[in-house]
PDB file of all heavy atoms in Angstrom:
ATOM      1  N   PHE A   1       9.566  33.033  43.546  1.00  0.00           N
ATOM      2  CA  PHE A   1      10.782  33.451  44.236  1.00  0.00           C
ATOM      3  C   PHE A   1      10.979  32.604  45.486  1.00  0.00           C
ATOM      4  O   PHE A   1      10.028  32.248  46.169  1.00  0.00           O
ATOM      5  CB  PHE A   1      10.702  34.938  44.607  1.00  0.00           C
ATOM      6  CG  PHE A   1      10.769  35.833  43.402  1.00  0.00           C
ATOM      7  CD1 PHE A   1       9.614  36.231  42.751  1.00  0.00           C
ATOM      8  CD2 PHE A   1      11.987  36.263  42.913  1.00  0.00           C
ATOM      9  CE1 PHE A   1       9.669  37.040  41.631  1.00  0.00           C
ATOM     10  CE2 PHE A   1      12.056  37.072  41.782  1.00  0.00           C
ATOM     11  CZ  PHE A   1      10.892  37.462  41.147  1.00  0.00           C
ATOM     12  N   ASP A   2      12.232  32.286  45.743  1.00  0.00           N
ATOM     13  CA  ASP A   2      12.605  31.479  46.883  1.00  0.00           C
ATOM     14  C   ASP A   2      13.676  32.242  47.656  1.00  0.00           C
ATOM     15  O   ASP A   2      14.855  31.903  47.599  1.00  0.00           O
ATOM     16  CB  ASP A   2      13.113  30.115  46.396  1.00  0.00           C
ATOM     17  CG  ASP A   2      13.511  29.200  47.533  1.00  0.00           C
ATOM     18  OD1 ASP A   2      13.078  29.426  48.675  1.00  0.00           O
ATOM     19  OD2 ASP A   2      14.293  28.270  47.282  1.00  0.00           O
ATOM     20  N   LEU A   3      13.249  33.300  48.311  1.00  0.00           N
ATOM     21  CA  LEU A   3      14.168  34.178  49.028  1.00  0.00           C
ATOM     22  C   LEU A   3      13.652  34.413  50.442  1.00  0.00           C
ATOM     23  O   LEU A   3      12.435  34.542  50.634  1.00  0.00           O
ATOM     24  CB  LEU A   3      14.224  35.556  48.351  1.00  0.00           C
ATOM     25  CG  LEU A   3      14.747  35.670  46.944  1.00  0.00           C
ATOM     26  CD1 LEU A   3      14.399  37.018  46.346  1.00  0.00           C
ATOM     27  CD2 LEU A   3      16.256  35.477  46.962  1.00  0.00           C
ATOM     28  N   PRO A   4      14.535  34.521  51.405  1.00  0.00           N
ATOM     29  CA  PRO A   4      14.079  35.010  52.707  1.00  0.00           C
ATOM     30  C   PRO A   4      13.701  36.485  52.541  1.00  0.00           C
ATOM     31  O   PRO A   4      14.404  37.236  51.854  1.00  0.00           O
ATOM     32  CB  PRO A   4      15.283  34.825  53.625  1.00  0.00           C
ATOM     33  CG  PRO A   4      16.443  34.520  52.748  1.00  0.00           C
ATOM     34  CD  PRO A   4      15.940  34.180  51.383  1.00  0.00           C
ATOM     35  N   LEU A   5      12.587  36.871  53.135  1.00  0.00           N
ATOM     36  CA  LEU A   5      12.085  38.235  52.990  1.00  0.00           C
ATOM     37  C   LEU A   5      11.850  38.859  54.360  1.00  0.00           C
ATOM     38  O   LEU A   5      11.469  38.163  55.303  1.00  0.00           O
ATOM     39  CB  LEU A   5      10.771  38.244  52.200  1.00  0.00           C
ATOM     40  CG  LEU A   5      10.800  37.604  50.813  1.00  0.00           C
ATOM     41  CD1 LEU A   5       9.404  37.586  50.206  1.00  0.00           C
ATOM     42  CD2 LEU A   5      11.776  38.331  49.900  1.00  0.00           C
ATOM     43  N   ALA A   6      12.030  40.168  54.427  1.00  0.00           N
ATOM     44  CA  ALA A   6      11.815  40.893  55.677  1.00  0.00           C
ATOM     45  C   ALA A   6      11.095  42.212  55.413  1.00  0.00           C
ATOM     46  O   ALA A   6      11.624  43.289  55.689  1.00  0.00           O
ATOM     47  CB  ALA A   6      13.144  41.133  56.377  1.00  0.00           C
ATOM     48  N   PRO A   7       9.872  42.160  54.862  1.00  0.00           N
ATOM     49  CA  PRO A   7       9.145  43.412  54.646  1.00  0.00           C
ATOM     50  C   PRO A   7       8.643  43.980  55.971  1.00  0.00           C
ATOM     51  O   PRO A   7       8.127  43.238  56.803  1.00  0.00           O
ATOM     52  CB  PRO A   7       7.979  42.987  53.749  1.00  0.00           C
ATOM     53  CG  PRO A   7       7.730  41.555  54.125  1.00  0.00           C
ATOM     54  CD  PRO A   7       9.088  40.990  54.459  1.00  0.00           C
ATOM     55  N   ALA A   8       8.827  45.261  56.165  1.00  0.00           N
ATOM     56  CA  ALA A   8       8.349  45.915  57.382  1.00  0.00           C
ATOM     57  C   ALA A   8       6.910  46.371  57.161  1.00  0.00           C
ATOM     58  O   ALA A   8       6.606  47.029  56.166  1.00  0.00           O
ATOM     59  CB  ALA A   8       9.237  47.099  57.721  1.00  0.00           C
ATOM     60  N   GLY A   9       6.024  45.999  58.077  1.00  0.00           N
ATOM     61  CA  GLY A   9       4.626  46.408  57.972  1.00  0.00           C
ATOM     62  C   GLY A   9       3.830  45.932  59.165  1.00  0.00           C
ATOM     63  O   GLY A   9       4.328  45.173  60.006  1.00  0.00           O
ATOM     64  N   THR A  10       2.601  46.362  59.207  1.00  0.00           N
ATOM     65  CA  THR A  10       1.702  45.968  60.295  1.00  0.00           C
ATOM     66  C   THR A  10       1.333  44.490  60.150  1.00  0.00           C
ATOM     67  O   THR A  10       1.554  43.882  59.095  1.00  0.00           O
ATOM     68  CB  THR A  10       0.410  46.796  60.265  1.00  0.00           C
ATOM     69  OG1 THR A  10      -0.317  46.459  59.072  1.00  0.00           O
ATOM     70  CG2 THR A  10       0.698  48.311  60.296  1.00  0.00           C
ATOM     71  N   ALA A  11       0.723  43.950  61.177  1.00  0.00           N
ATOM     72  CA  ALA A  11       0.274  42.554  61.123  1.00  0.00           C
ATOM     73  C   ALA A  11      -0.721  42.357  59.978  1.00  0.00           C
ATOM     74  O   ALA A  11      -0.660  41.352  59.259  1.00  0.00           O
ATOM     75  CB  ALA A  11      -0.344  42.140  62.456  1.00  0.00           C
ATOM     76  N   PHE A  12      -1.628  43.311  59.776  1.00  0.00           N
ATOM     77  CA  PHE A  12      -2.600  43.201  58.689  1.00  0.00           C
ATOM     78  C   PHE A  12      -1.884  43.235  57.334  1.00  0.00           C
ATOM     79  O   PHE A  12      -2.176  42.428  56.446  1.00  0.00           O
ATOM     80  CB  PHE A  12      -3.646  44.320  58.768  1.00  0.00           C
ATOM     81  CG  PHE A  12      -4.664  44.248  57.666  1.00  0.00           C
ATOM     82  CD1 PHE A  12      -5.719  43.347  57.736  1.00  0.00           C
ATOM     83  CD2 PHE A  12      -4.564  45.059  56.542  1.00  0.00           C
ATOM     84  CE1 PHE A  12      -6.657  43.254  56.716  1.00  0.00           C
ATOM     85  CE2 PHE A  12      -5.487  44.976  55.516  1.00  0.00           C
ATOM     86  CZ  PHE A  12      -6.542  44.076  55.606  1.00  0.00           C
ATOM     87  N   GLN A  13      -0.954  44.163  57.158  1.00  0.00           N
ATOM     88  CA  GLN A  13      -0.201  44.232  55.906  1.00  0.00           C
ATOM     89  C   GLN A  13       0.545  42.928  55.651  1.00  0.00           C
ATOM     90  O   GLN A  13       0.528  42.413  54.535  1.00  0.00           O
ATOM     91  CB  GLN A  13       0.782  45.408  55.939  1.00  0.00           C
ATOM     92  CG  GLN A  13       0.111  46.758  55.830  1.00  0.00           C
ATOM     93  CD  GLN A  13       1.064  47.910  56.082  1.00  0.00           C
ATOM     94  OE1 GLN A  13       2.041  47.787  56.839  1.00  0.00           O
ATOM     95  NE2 GLN A  13       0.791  49.053  55.459  1.00  0.00           N
ATOM     96  N   GLN A  14       1.173  42.380  56.674  1.00  0.00           N
ATOM     97  CA  GLN A  14       1.894  41.124  56.521  1.00  0.00           C
ATOM     98  C   GLN A  14       0.952  40.011  56.056  1.00  0.00           C
ATOM     99  O   GLN A  14       1.313  39.199  55.196  1.00  0.00           O
ATOM    100  CB  GLN A  14       2.565  40.710  57.850  1.00  0.00           C
ATOM    101  CG  GLN A  14       3.617  41.673  58.347  1.00  0.00           C
ATOM    102  CD  GLN A  14       4.917  41.620  57.577  1.00  0.00           C
ATOM    103  OE1 GLN A  14       5.198  40.700  56.827  1.00  0.00           O
ATOM    104  NE2 GLN A  14       5.750  42.631  57.763  1.00  0.00           N
ATOM    105  N   THR A  15      -0.265  39.986  56.608  1.00  0.00           N
ATOM    106  CA  THR A  15      -1.251  38.979  56.207  1.00  0.00           C
ATOM    107  C   THR A  15      -1.610  39.135  54.742  1.00  0.00           C
ATOM    108  O   THR A  15      -1.676  38.151  53.998  1.00  0.00           O
ATOM    109  CB  THR A  15      -2.517  39.092  57.089  1.00  0.00           C
ATOM    110  OG1 THR A  15      -2.134  38.852  58.450  1.00  0.00           O
ATOM    111  CG2 THR A  15      -3.583  38.098  56.671  1.00  0.00           C
ATOM    112  N   VAL A  16      -1.819  40.360  54.308  1.00  0.00           N
ATOM    113  CA  VAL A  16      -2.149  40.621  52.896  1.00  0.00           C
ATOM    114  C   VAL A  16      -0.969  40.224  52.011  1.00  0.00           C
ATOM    115  O   VAL A  16      -1.148  39.554  50.987  1.00  0.00           O
ATOM    116  CB  VAL A  16      -2.541  42.098  52.672  1.00  0.00           C
ATOM    117  CG1 VAL A  16      -2.657  42.425  51.186  1.00  0.00           C
ATOM    118  CG2 VAL A  16      -3.854  42.414  53.399  1.00  0.00           C
ATOM    119  N   TRP A  17       0.236  40.605  52.396  1.00  0.00           N
ATOM    120  CA  TRP A  17       1.407  40.297  51.571  1.00  0.00           C
ATOM    121  C   TRP A  17       1.643  38.789  51.469  1.00  0.00           C
ATOM    122  O   TRP A  17       2.054  38.290  50.424  1.00  0.00           O
ATOM    123  CB  TRP A  17       2.642  41.016  52.099  1.00  0.00           C
ATOM    124  CG  TRP A  17       2.496  42.520  52.103  1.00  0.00           C
ATOM    125  CD1 TRP A  17       1.659  43.277  51.319  1.00  0.00           C
ATOM    126  CD2 TRP A  17       3.180  43.447  52.934  1.00  0.00           C
ATOM    127  NE1 TRP A  17       1.785  44.611  51.617  1.00  0.00           N
ATOM    128  CE2 TRP A  17       2.713  44.744  52.610  1.00  0.00           C
ATOM    129  CE3 TRP A  17       4.132  43.316  53.931  1.00  0.00           C
ATOM    130  CZ2 TRP A  17       3.195  45.893  53.247  1.00  0.00           C
ATOM    131  CZ3 TRP A  17       4.606  44.453  54.559  1.00  0.00           C
ATOM    132  CH2 TRP A  17       4.144  45.729  54.211  1.00  0.00           C
ATOM    133  N   THR A  18       1.327  38.074  52.531  1.00  0.00           N
ATOM    134  CA  THR A  18       1.414  36.608  52.473  1.00  0.00           C
ATOM    135  C   THR A  18       0.397  36.060  51.475  1.00  0.00           C
ATOM    136  O   THR A  18       0.705  35.166  50.685  1.00  0.00           O
ATOM    137  CB  THR A  18       1.193  35.997  53.869  1.00  0.00           C
ATOM    138  OG1 THR A  18       2.249  36.452  54.733  1.00  0.00           O
ATOM    139  CG2 THR A  18       1.189  34.478  53.821  1.00  0.00           C
ATOM    140  N   ALA A  19      -0.807  36.621  51.486  1.00  0.00           N
ATOM    141  CA  ALA A  19      -1.843  36.190  50.529  1.00  0.00           C
ATOM    142  C   ALA A  19      -1.431  36.500  49.094  1.00  0.00           C
ATOM    143  O   ALA A  19      -1.714  35.721  48.175  1.00  0.00           O
ATOM    144  CB  ALA A  19      -3.177  36.852  50.866  1.00  0.00           C
ATOM    145  N   LEU A  20      -0.749  37.605  48.878  1.00  0.00           N
ATOM    146  CA  LEU A  20      -0.288  37.952  47.532  1.00  0.00           C
ATOM    147  C   LEU A  20       0.678  36.894  47.004  1.00  0.00           C
ATOM    148  O   LEU A  20       0.633  36.554  45.819  1.00  0.00           O
ATOM    149  CB  LEU A  20       0.417  39.315  47.527  1.00  0.00           C
ATOM    150  CG  LEU A  20      -0.419  40.544  47.862  1.00  0.00           C
ATOM    151  CD1 LEU A  20       0.466  41.792  47.881  1.00  0.00           C
ATOM    152  CD2 LEU A  20      -1.575  40.711  46.911  1.00  0.00           C
ATOM    153  N   ARG A  21       1.509  36.369  47.865  1.00  0.00           N
ATOM    154  CA  ARG A  21       2.485  35.357  47.437  1.00  0.00           C
ATOM    155  C   ARG A  21       1.813  34.057  47.016  1.00  0.00           C
ATOM    156  O   ARG A  21       2.425  33.240  46.328  1.00  0.00           O
ATOM    157  CB  ARG A  21       3.509  35.098  48.540  1.00  0.00           C
ATOM    158  CG  ARG A  21       4.372  36.351  48.772  1.00  0.00           C
ATOM    159  CD  ARG A  21       5.528  36.095  49.664  1.00  0.00           C
ATOM    160  NE  ARG A  21       6.537  35.345  48.899  1.00  0.00           N
ATOM    161  CZ  ARG A  21       7.556  34.747  49.458  1.00  0.00           C
ATOM    162  NH1 ARG A  21       7.725  34.769  50.759  1.00  0.00           N
ATOM    163  NH2 ARG A  21       8.430  34.096  48.719  1.00  0.00           N
ATOM    164  N   ALA A  22       0.550  33.880  47.393  1.00  0.00           N
ATOM    165  CA  ALA A  22      -0.188  32.665  47.031  1.00  0.00           C
ATOM    166  C   ALA A  22      -0.877  32.779  45.665  1.00  0.00           C
ATOM    167  O   ALA A  22      -1.423  31.798  45.169  1.00  0.00           O
ATOM    168  CB  ALA A  22      -1.215  32.336  48.107  1.00  0.00           C
ATOM    169  N   ILE A  23      -0.850  33.970  45.051  1.00  0.00           N
ATOM    170  CA  ILE A  23      -1.468  34.137  43.738  1.00  0.00           C
ATOM    171  C   ILE A  23      -0.569  33.452  42.707  1.00  0.00           C
ATOM    172  O   ILE A  23       0.615  33.765  42.590  1.00  0.00           O
ATOM    173  CB  ILE A  23      -1.637  35.624  43.359  1.00  0.00           C
ATOM    174  CG1 ILE A  23      -2.440  36.368  44.419  1.00  0.00           C
ATOM    175  CG2 ILE A  23      -2.328  35.744  41.989  1.00  0.00           C
ATOM    176  CD1 ILE A  23      -2.410  37.886  44.250  1.00  0.00           C
ATOM    177  N   ASP A  24      -1.130  32.528  41.976  1.00  0.00           N
ATOM    178  CA  ASP A  24      -0.353  31.775  41.001  1.00  0.00           C
ATOM    179  C   ASP A  24       0.221  32.673  39.915  1.00  0.00           C
ATOM    180  O   ASP A  24      -0.431  33.614  39.447  1.00  0.00           O
ATOM    181  CB  ASP A  24      -1.209  30.690  40.341  1.00  0.00           C
ATOM    182  CG  ASP A  24      -1.561  29.560  41.289  1.00  0.00           C
ATOM    183  OD1 ASP A  24      -0.810  29.335  42.264  1.00  0.00           O
ATOM    184  OD2 ASP A  24      -2.592  28.902  41.050  1.00  0.00           O
ATOM    185  N   TYR A  25       1.418  32.340  39.503  1.00  0.00           N
ATOM    186  CA  TYR A  25       2.102  33.011  38.407  1.00  0.00           C
ATOM    187  C   TYR A  25       1.206  32.973  37.163  1.00  0.00           C
ATOM    188  O   TYR A  25       0.582  31.963  36.852  1.00  0.00           O
ATOM    189  CB  TYR A  25       3.418  32.271  38.124  1.00  0.00           C
ATOM    190  CG  TYR A  25       4.238  32.865  37.021  1.00  0.00           C
ATOM    191  CD1 TYR A  25       5.194  33.832  37.291  1.00  0.00           C
ATOM    192  CD2 TYR A  25       4.084  32.447  35.707  1.00  0.00           C
ATOM    193  CE1 TYR A  25       5.975  34.370  36.277  1.00  0.00           C
ATOM    194  CE2 TYR A  25       4.860  32.984  34.689  1.00  0.00           C
ATOM    195  CZ  TYR A  25       5.800  33.947  34.986  1.00  0.00           C
ATOM    196  OH  TYR A  25       6.561  34.482  33.975  1.00  0.00           O
ATOM    197  N   GLY A  26       1.131  34.095  36.472  1.00  0.00           N
ATOM    198  CA  GLY A  26       0.365  34.151  35.230  1.00  0.00           C
ATOM    199  C   GLY A  26      -1.131  34.303  35.429  1.00  0.00           C
ATOM    200  O   GLY A  26      -1.884  34.240  34.467  1.00  0.00           O
ATOM    201  N   THR A  27      -1.562  34.501  36.680  1.00  0.00           N
ATOM    202  CA  THR A  27      -2.988  34.683  36.962  1.00  0.00           C
ATOM    203  C   THR A  27      -3.190  36.001  37.691  1.00  0.00           C
ATOM    204  O   THR A  27      -2.231  36.638  38.130  1.00  0.00           O
ATOM    205  CB  THR A  27      -3.561  33.536  37.819  1.00  0.00           C
ATOM    206  OG1 THR A  27      -2.966  33.584  39.122  1.00  0.00           O
ATOM    207  CG2 THR A  27      -3.317  32.181  37.185  1.00  0.00           C
ATOM    208  N   THR A  28      -4.435  36.390  37.820  1.00  0.00           N
ATOM    209  CA  THR A  28      -4.779  37.587  38.580  1.00  0.00           C
ATOM    210  C   THR A  28      -5.913  37.255  39.544  1.00  0.00           C
ATOM    211  O   THR A  28      -6.580  36.230  39.402  1.00  0.00           O
ATOM    212  CB  THR A  28      -5.237  38.741  37.658  1.00  0.00           C
ATOM    213  OG1 THR A  28      -6.373  38.323  36.906  1.00  0.00           O
ATOM    214  CG2 THR A  28      -4.121  39.186  36.720  1.00  0.00           C
TER     215      THR A  28
END
């Protein structure tokens, strides 16, 4: 996805959500 995003969350949650975006498509 190539969208501007504005998820509301704590600094720790934001860090985790950023890491989730780095998981390659089709992998776990």
Side-chain angles (χ1 to χ4, degrees):
F1 291 91
D2 181 20
L3 297 166
L5 304 175
T10 66
F12 180 79
Q13 288 171 330
Q14 297 286 345
T15 299
V16 171
W17 300 336
T18 297
L20 295 177
R21 294 190 75 193
I23 304 169
D24 290 335
Y25 181 91
T27 67
T28 59

